Amino acid sequence: MLQETPGGATDSLQQIPMTAETGYVVGADIGGTSLRLAIAGMDGKVVAKWKASTTGVRDPNVVVGLIDEGVESLFKQNFLPRSSLRAFAAGAPGVTDVDAGIVIATSYLMGWRDVPLRALLEARLGVPAAVENDVNTAAIAESKIGAAQGIRDFVFLAVGTGIGAGIVLNGKLFHGMDWSAGEIGYLLVPGTSVAPVETGEPGALESIVGGEGIKAQWQTAWNKDITDLSKDLVATEIFDHALNGDALAQTVLRKSAETLAYAIYNLAVVLNCPMFVLGGSVGMHPALWSTTRDILAQRDKRVQPKLLRSTLGPDAQVNGAIHLAIEAASSRVLSR
Amino acid sequence: MLQETPGGATDSLQQIPMTAETGYVVGADIGGTSLRLAIAGMDGKVVAKWKASTTGVRDPNVVVGLIDEGVESLFKQNFLPRSSLRAFAAGAPGVTDVDAGIVIATSYLMGWRDVPLRALLEARLGVPAAVENDVNTAAIAESKIGAAQGIRDFVFLAVGTGIGAGIVLNGKLFHGMDWSAGEIGYLLVPGTSVAPVETGEPGALESIVGGEGIKAQWQTAWNKDITDLSKDLVATEIFDHALNGDALAQTVLRKSAETLAYAIYNLAVVLNCPMFVLGGSVGMHPALWSTTRDILAQRDKRVQPKLLRSTLGPDAQVNGAIHLAIEAASSRVLSR
């Protein structure tokens, strides 16, 4: 059930008259706690944004209904005719078959299995739609308008609750044969557990580097005799305290950055990839970025991947979806 | 300097009359201890093989001269006119720019840097030539006529002195932007050293799983009170003794297989790759294969890559080179 304003809040950046010959697209980022939408012209320029809570919302049909409300709101509030919507695209938080338009599996938070999201969206919105994994939509955006503009080979690393990678090789997203390439939360590096991971459990890498893993590190190490800080801190707060000199927080930061650096090093070796872009709510923290970058720089001279911070932040996913929607407008014919 | 019969030994499998309209190709595997050649018809069927020692031979021009001798010998001994040679290809033990025909770097054993091998070969042999990394040529052969026939996504793992991977994605070799994808000797997994690796040193993974690394594990653990075996054993001998019940050898086998399994698991996760083929002189050992396979099977149900043994063994590299030569015959025009 929706716990915030069902209609969400329209954040109208500017009002632009409809361009009948070109029209508009809407991109979406479907997350476990929020749904973000943005309407843009066919040049990809964002006209307005919209956001609603998805806390407790799990049924795909309800999510699609909420998306429809958001689209309607964006058009109304910007005085645009809904008929000028040309296409729609969404980033979904899970393994997504882009060709079939199906979300194969999301984490336990959403619990989706084989959801025909594209068909649901096209039936509801009446325009061509595209779906993609949300980390991949963010990678697309970083490649088009963000930190990796014009770079043909790079990996976008999203560190939030967990960790995922969007791999761009030779200018194209690399999906893998079952659409699950880049699910790097499961990587085994020095310092991670080697115990087999049950389905639905966090992977070995994200148990240390993901937001939840960083919190768990803190709670395990926490002791009132060695720090004045609260036992209940989230990852970004722990990193803030590390920057402010708390020794325990610095230890957690160091361990997180080291583990992340090993994973990046491995990806650089296997993929022969020279550039990594760090994003996601935890990954955007400057302390994680700079510490990881310094650890990488102290490793082999032979393998020296560049580590950048995302320039788009929380807007990356929606911006990538906008790009996919523009593509869908010209390439997809509505099947109904 | 060449230390064995300069001309090498021709291993004539059968004698086939020349087919003027189609002709023959020769494939080569350039190694640090031996040079292997094979002549084949345009259907890829091997007519005869030739082998010579390269121990102490390092100068690329001397290697190319030795190749020329081998080609000459193969044609003479099989009563074929040299004019029926249509093309040549070689697998080289290092990072190879396939487009430019340049061996960028080999390990300290050969010490090559930016050797224009294709141009040297074409000048000497007078036919179109192709060059490729030797692990990649082996992967091509496994894909065409070996363990991975008809498989579009798999990784060939060559475990010899060191370890390398030939990555086939969507039916094509994945080279990476600087031709060094799959240099997995450097991977960091639980149990490997995290110390930075100097250029020319073996990587963290191969320090445990490569032939030299396995030997080093044995020598470190060896103690006359716990084993009757010699301190001077090579990897395959250690694995033989593990099969025969020596406890110390079993410990070394277990550690090697575990470390290899972690690397395979990581590759399966990053590349979303379901199949691995184990080859190379050490990798072909049945004990390493079966122990690694069992360890993988005990890990997550979600990530269960299939692990096969190479069916081509030491012939894989040359067979892949033959395939490349057949391609070169139809696609490359001699530039001179």
Side-chain angles (χ1 to χ4, degrees), chain A residues 64-278:
Chain A
V64 169
L66 194 54
I67 285 172
D68 191 31
E69 280 180 41
V71 170
E72 188 61 29
S73 168
L74 280 168
F75 276 88
K76 271 212 180 123
Q77 307 256 344
N78 292 282
F79 309 102
L80 299 169
R82 174 89 182 231
S83 60
S84 64
L85 176 64
R86 293 272 306 274
F88 177 89
V95 177
T96 301
D97 179 339
V98 172
D99 288 346
I102 289 171
V103 181
I104 299 170
T106 65
S107 76
Y108 65 98
L109 270 175
M110 297 287 286
W112 289 7
R113 288 291 173 277
D114 295 321
V115 171
L117 186 60
R118 186 176 66 202
L120 293 176
L121 288 166
E122 292 190 343
R124 186 74 172 234
L125 302 175
V127 293
V131 294
E132 175 59 280
N133 169 272
D134 56 357
V135 181
N136 286 344
T137 59
I140 291 170
E142 294 293 345
S143 150
K144 296 287 168 188
I145 56 169
Q149 255 178 95
I151 305 296
R152 294 185 67 80
D153 294 72
F154 75 96
V155 175
F156 176 79
L157 297 162
V159 186
T161 312
I163 180 167
I167 303 171
V168 176
L169 298 175
N170 209 14
K172 280 189 209 154
L173 277 172
F174 170 64
H175 287 101
M177 68 170 290
D178 294 320
W179 305 97
S180 73
E183 292 285 320
I184 61 164
Y186 295 87
L187 277 187
L188 304 171
V189 301
T192 62
S193 161
V194 296
V197 179
E198 296 303 316
T199 304
E201 277 182 5
L205 183 71
E206 63 196 351
S207 292
I208 296 179
V209 183
E212 287 301 310
I214 293 162
K215 226 162 98 173
Q217 278 190 68
W218 175 258
Q219 288 177 350
T220 305
W222 186 89
N223 182 318
K224 66 174 167 22
D225 298 336
I226 51 173
T227 182
D228 294 332
L229 299 172
S230 158
K231 196 176 175 180
D232 281 315
L233 295 180
V234 297
T236 48
E237 290 168 341
I238 297 163
F239 293 163
D240 285 343
H241 288 297
L243 285 179
N244 290 334
D246 182 84
L248 189 63
Q250 285 173 345
T251 307
V252 170
L253 168 63
R254 176 85 199 171
K255 168 84 175 171
S256 308
E258 240 171 37
T259 310
L260 180 58
Y262 298 156
I264 291 172
Y265 177 91
N266 280 353
L267 290 168
V269 163
V270 171
L271 301 172
N272 184 201
C273 183
M275 185 183 282
F276 292 76
V277 177
L278 203 49

Side-chain angles (χ1 to χ4, degrees), chain B residues 280-291:
Chain B
S281 56
V282 176
M284 285 299 289
H285 198 286
L288 182 63
W289 166 69
S290 62
T291 312

Side-chain angles (χ1 to χ4, degrees), chain B residues 90-174:
Chain B
V95 177
T96 301
D97 179 338
V98 172
D99 288 347
I102 289 170
V103 181
I104 298 169
T106 65
S107 76
Y108 65 99
L109 271 174
M110 298 287 286
W112 289 7
R113 288 289 173 280
D114 295 321
V115 171
L117 186 61
R118 185 174 67 202
L120 293 175
L121 288 166
E122 292 190 342
R124 186 73 172 234
L125 301 175
V127 293
V131 294
E132 175 58 279
N133 169 271
D134 56 357
V135 182
N136 286 344
T137 59
I140 291 170
E142 294 293 346
S143 148
K144 296 287 168 187
I145 56 168
Q149 255 179 93
I151 305 296
R152 294 185 66 81
D153 295 72
F154 75 97
V155 175
F156 176 78
L157 297 162
V159 186
T161 312
I163 182 167
I167 301 171
V168 176
L169 298 174
N170 210 13
K172 282 190 208 153
L173 277 172
F174 170 63

Side-chain angles (χ1 to χ4, degrees), chain A residues 178 188 194 197 266 272 299, chain B residues 178 188 194 266 272 299-300:
Chain A
D178 294 320
L188 304 171
V194 296
V197 179
N266 280 353
N272 184 201
R299 293 201 53 81
Chain B
D178 294 320
L188 304 171
V194 296
N266 279 354
N272 184 202
R299 292 202 53 83
D300 326 2

